[in-house]
Amino acid sequence: MNNIDMESGSIFVGGAGPDYAEPEVLLTGYANRHGLIAGATGTGKTVTLQTLAESLSQCGVPVFLADVKGDLSGLAKSGSAEAKLHEAFARRAGQIGLELDYQQYPVTFWDVFGQKGHPVRTTPAEMGPLLLSRLLGLTDVQEGVLNIAFRVADEQGLALLDLKDLQAMLVWVGENSSELSLTYGNVSTASVGAIQRSLLTLENEGGDQLFGEPALELNDILRVDGNGKGMINILAADKLMNAPRLYSTFLLWLLSELFEQLPEVGDPAKPVCAFFFDEAHLLFDDAPKALIDKIEQVARLIRSKGVSVWFISQNPTDVPEDILGQLGNRVQHALRAFTAKDQKALRLAAENYRPNPDFDIADAIQQVGTGEAVTSFLERKGVPGVAMRTLIRPPFSQLGPITDEERSEVLKTSVMGQKYDTPLNRESAQEILIERAQAAAKEAQETATPDDDSDLWVVGGQKDEEFTRARRYNPKLTIPASGKDGSSTKKRSSRRDSVLETFGKSVARELGRQGTRSVMRGVLGGLFRGR
């Protein structure tokens, strides 16, 4: 028996029944209904994940998965008869009637830190304040301040492409909190400081490498090779797991991007892509209800985009019940029930399966051995299949990691290296603020002149004291701005000018708080004319 039957549109998962002679299959037309792979450590979850990734790739489905333990890199290399477990795999293949066809699969390695794969990046602007607040562990009040920073940056045309841009933007928000509070609500400098500290912690953990350009384009993980196999994208997550919030937030961002960018396809003959979320409990630990509701919404609706999402965890109870109800395809490896809590979790896991009169599901979940599982896959018309004791087929690629030299060779031949290995540093918020302040300061030094009748400085023929009083108390006062041809453009309101004035003061202070009162007013004039 082959592991793929294209005529029936089915993937052979393993042998089921008392003697494992009955094939247990996953229908490709229902593979985008999401799935769960659960079980205690050492029961075979990684092998199940590897075999499913292989089969989906053979069907032409691109796969994205996180390699938490470093074992899944073996997908890039063919298994062999000389492998340590070859004899055991050969016996298992004979038991379930499978032809053992060793082969390698097209693999692209990715790594947030750029060490074991091509750098994978996004920008603060693409991630947005909601997920960024989750990543930083912010309170509701601090999240509100972060939203204001994003809003003002958008209004000012300041691109937030890396952490330096965001930090610079927050400095400006903190120094102008009183003015911003009138328009956007209370802005506490203490909240700004707390956000800055969180950003510093993230930077020390290496999370700043996630933000920058070139940012990951989704089409680059949705590729198919020349032989029609779907690309298997492996995210090196062994180091990333040391920052679990960064790990879960990044994968959730990727899932959200797929949801937002992919078109509706209904129920395709096979998934557009498959997404495996290992250590799924990290996604939900300490997550606010608003975020969990968002995850549930994405899981519920992304099916119509053709995306298959699989959660891998030690216990089904790690996944919230509302999301667990969306997982129609299930592979339950052994659970150990040593405590009352474990026994309750075991009963709950058993209740989520369609009963099989031939055995007790709760007992079977405790008794299955390594490489064996209680499975249930959706049948025709989306009906849950009867629970089956299934011996999972052996992988065709190498079980276990490849060497560092073999990984380096894969990276050298990957076309993604030319696109992502070299970082870009385009002009963005930080650079724009510095350029504006430098230009305005230079112009102010050249144009500011003392008043002969007073020790005050003048701007455009108006004394400093009069100018300040007019700006502060006369809401009808406006300052003309020059157009590109030097002509006067439409006047702006005093409230708008006040924001720009404070913006200029903030930038000047960032440059070292240098310059006199005349320089500062020259800066303001430069900024007004620039806008």
Side-chain angles (χ1 to χ4, degrees):
M1 176 183 293
N2 294 322
N3 69 311
I4 302 294
D5 188 343
M6 298 304 297
E7 292 184 4
S8 63
S10 62
I11 294 172
F12 179 73
V13 177
D19 55 359
Y20 305 116
E22 183 179 346
E24 178 75 332
V25 298
L26 169 63
L27 300 177
T28 57
Y30 294 94
N32 66 330
R33 300 295 179 90
H34 309 327
L36 172 72
I37 302 173
T41 301
T43 57
K45 296 193 301 296
T46 300
V47 172
T48 298
L49 191 161
Q50 184 168 341
T51 57
L52 286 176
E54 290 178 353
S55 298
L56 288 167
S57 175
Q58 283 185 264
C59 292
V61 178
V63 175
F64 190 97
L65 53 86
D67 189 6
V68 173
K69 295 178 289 185
D71 295 341
L72 295 172
S73 60
L75 283 159
K77 185 177 180 181
S78 173
S80 68
E82 289 76 30
K84 182 172 62 174
L85 294 178
H86 167 70
E87 292 185 3
F89 285 163
R91 286 195 300 270
R92 184 186 298 187
Q95 281 183 282
I96 61 179
L98 174 69
E99 180 182 352
L100 198 56
D101 180 21
Y102 286 128
Q103 57 184 291
Q104 66 183 43
Y105 294 85
V107 166
T108 300
F109 292 110
W110 302 94
D111 186 359
V112 168
F113 305 105
Q115 298 174 353
K116 295 185 177 181
H118 303 300
V120 52
R121 308 179 186 91
T122 184
T123 65
E126 289 179 343
M127 180 167 285
L130 176 61
L131 284 181
L132 196 54
S133 296
R134 155 71 170 167
L135 174 60
L136 300 175
L138 303 183
T139 65
D140 292 341
V141 173
Q142 294 161 1
E143 181 182 340
V145 173
L146 190 63
N147 271 281
I148 292 174
F150 272 77
R151 176 68 177 272
V152 174
D154 184 59
E155 292 178 351
Q156 294 288 336
L158 302 172
L160 301 177
L161 303 182
D162 53 33
L163 283 191
K164 297 299 182 185
D165 292 328
L166 183 56
Q167 289 167 337
M169 196 67 227
L170 286 167
V171 168
W172 181 85
V173 168
E175 293 192 340
N176 300 279
S177 57
S178 58
E179 290 83 0
L180 292 174
S181 297
L182 297 175
T183 303
Y184 302 102
N186 185 48
V187 177
S188 168
T189 55
S191 295
V192 173
I195 299 172
Q196 292 283 39
R197 288 192 297 273
S198 297
L199 289 174
L200 181 61
T201 301
L202 177 64
E203 188 174 5
N204 292 337
E205 293 177 350
D208 59 318
Q209 298 179 60
L210 173 62
F211 298 102
E213 290 190 311
L216 178 66
E217 295 183 14
L218 292 185
N219 288 335
D220 289 332
I221 64 173
L222 302 177
R223 295 177 295 131
V224 177
D225 75 350
N227 297 320
K229 289 182 178 180
M231 183 62 63
I232 299 179
N233 301 274
I234 299 179
L235 176 68
D238 48 349
K239 181 179 178 182
L240 188 60
M241 287 300 297
N242 294 327
R245 196 182 296 271
L246 176 61
Y247 167 75
S248 61
T249 303
F250 168 73
L251 292 182
L252 180 56
W253 165 79
L254 183 59
L255 192 62
S256 299
E257 288 294 294
L258 289 170
F259 172 70
E260 292 177 3
Q261 297 188 27
L262 292 178
E264 296 277 347
V265 295
D267 289 318
K270 61 183 180 181
V272 174
C273 69
F275 186 96
F276 290 86
F277 200 124
D278 203 358
E279 300 295 339
H281 66 279
L282 296 176
L283 179 62
F284 308 106
D285 287 350
D286 301 323
K289 185 179 185 302
L291 183 60
I292 293 179
D293 291 342
K294 178 67 174 179
I295 299 171
E296 180 187 353
Q297 179 191 28
V298 171
R300 187 185 302 275
L301 299 178
I302 203 171
R303 178 189 63 80
S304 63
K305 306 294 184 79
V307 178
S308 174
V309 182
W310 291 76
F311 295 93
I312 298 94
S313 191
Q314 294 191 17
N315 199 307
T317 57
D318 293 335
V319 182
E321 186 174 351
D322 291 339
I323 298 176
L324 193 63
Q326 306 297 318
L327 313 181
N329 300 304
R330 303 192 178 192
V331 180
Q332 178 64 64
H333 289 276
L335 283 179
R336 312 306 180 196
F338 298 116
T339 67
K341 182 178 180 180
D342 293 337
Q343 293 172 1
K344 181 180 179 180
L346 177 63
R347 290 194 300 270
L348 291 174
E351 290 172 357
N352 287 314
Y353 284 85
R354 183 177 168 185
N356 188 326
D358 295 336
F359 62 89
D360 182 87
I361 296 177
D363 290 341
I365 292 176
Q366 294 184 84
Q367 296 169 4
V368 291
T370 301
E372 190 180 8
V374 176
T375 62
S376 175
F377 298 103
L378 294 176
E379 299 176 345
R380 302 294 177 184
K381 298 183 179 180
V383 178
V386 174
M388 302 292 290
R389 289 188 63 157
T390 303
L391 188 61
I392 305 298
R393 78 161 178 88
F396 295 156
S397 56
Q398 175 177 299
L399 183 65
I402 59 177
T403 64
D404 292 340
E405 291 75 16
E406 291 169 335
R407 182 188 289 266
S408 297
E409 189 62 31
V410 174
L411 290 172
K412 288 179 182 178
T413 58
S414 172
V415 297
M416 294 293 99
Q418 299 178 357
K419 185 172 183 179
Y420 292 104
D421 286 355
T422 303
L424 299 178
N425 187 20
R426 291 193 298 140
E427 185 179 64
S428 52
Q430 185 185 33
E431 292 80 8
I432 292 174
L433 294 179
I434 292 176
E435 288 177 3
R436 287 182 184 178
Q438 289 176 338
K442 180 179 179 181
E443 182 180 355
Q445 290 175 338
E446 295 174 350
T447 60
T449 59
D451 184 5
D452 295 336
D453 300 330
S454 171
D455 60 347
L456 297 177
W457 293 76
V458 297
V459 177
Q462 185 178 23
K463 290 186 177 181
D464 173 88
E465 184 178 2
E466 297 172 351
F467 176 81
T468 303
R469 186 183 302 113
R471 293 290 297 131
R472 184 172 301 170
Y473 298 112
N474 188 353
K476 297 183 179 180
L477 179 64
T478 57
I479 297 179
S482 300
K484 294 182 180 179
D485 57 354
S487 61
S488 177
T489 59
K490 184 178 179 180
K491 296 181 178 180
R492 301 180 183 271
S493 68
S494 63
R495 180 167 182 167
R496 182 65 170 173
D497 289 340
S498 179
V499 173
L500 290 172
E501 180 183 1
T502 54
F503 176 79
K505 292 179 180 179
S506 172
V507 173
R509 281 194 293 268
E510 280 303 294
L511 291 175
R513 301 178 180 273
Q514 59 185 357
T516 61
R517 295 168 63 188
S518 61
V519 173
M520 179 56 66
R521 294 191 173 85
V523 171
L524 297 179
L527 289 177
F528 290 142
R529 288 192 291 276
R531 292 190 62 80

